[in-house]
Amino acid sequence: MFSIHLSEEPRPEEHFGIQVLRRKLYEFLGDVPQETMARYGEDAGIVEADDLYVNTETGENGWMSSIGSDMTLSFDKGEMQISQAVGYGGRSLLTTWVAPTERRMLEMSYNPIMNTNYSVAEYYEYKIRVMRFSEETVNYLKARYVIEESDIPIDFGFTPTSYTYTNVIGGLGVFGAASVYESEWTSYE
């Protein structure tokens, strides 16, 4: 679980986007053969958005509700959780969950006769991306969420329903804003 604390009280109109980025790295110890280092170095450092686990319970309806308290959208080649902050000790608290990863040994060799002694381990570093959205941006994202995640037909036989959000007078489009914060890369043991 990642918890993000903001130094201000939450406001009901504010929504945040949370994305957890990760990159796979390798630790080479000892006299690792060049071909082994090359084999593992191909995918080292590639940044990807981690899959999120999102709470779907809401208020008094709990698990019986079909409306989630958070939205998860595809964003920048990964998942982003859109939610409101929760008040916590005079500050705002945002949380998100990802599958835990651990450092794991991939390869090792110890042979005193051949004079080899090395190991290769895999681990991940994480970076948190937090976005604060304007109300117009949240309305657009909600409309997009309805289109992408609706399991039932959204037209009722009359005319197709349009969930296109626009705040442009006399036209179609969105004018919204987002501010972004990204943490430094950090590994967790």
Side-chain angles (χ1 to χ4, degrees), residues 60-71:
E60 63 227 25
N61 294 334
W63 61 273
M64 295 293 287
S65 174
S66 63
I67 302 171
S69 61
D70 301 324
M71 294 184 293

Side-chain angles (χ1 to χ4, degrees), residues 87-163:
Y88 181 75
R91 301 186 324 175
S92 296
L93 173 67
L94 300 166
T95 58
T96 192
W97 296 80
V98 296
T101 57
E102 296 179 356
R103 176 185 298 270
R104 65 182 188 132
M105 187 67 62
L106 298 176
E107 188 175 327
M108 63 187 305
S109 176
Y110 176 70
N111 186 339
I113 296 171
M114 299 291 289
N115 197 25
T116 60
N117 184 10
Y118 70 89
S119 65
V120 179
E122 170 188 87
Y123 67 99
Y124 287 91
E125 287 186 335
Y126 293 90
K127 176 186 274 198
I128 306 297
R129 179 184 292 158
V130 178
M131 300 179 83
R132 182 187 311 243
F133 296 117
S134 68
E135 186 177 350
E136 294 81 12
T137 304
V138 171
N139 290 338
Y140 166 74
L141 293 172
K142 283 181 183 178
R144 188 172 137 197
Y145 181 77
V146 168
I147 291 169
E148 290 177 1
E149 300 298 323
S150 182
D151 290 337
I152 58 171
I154 53 178
D155 61 43
F156 298 106
F158 303 109
T159 59
T161 307
S162 173
Y163 285 95

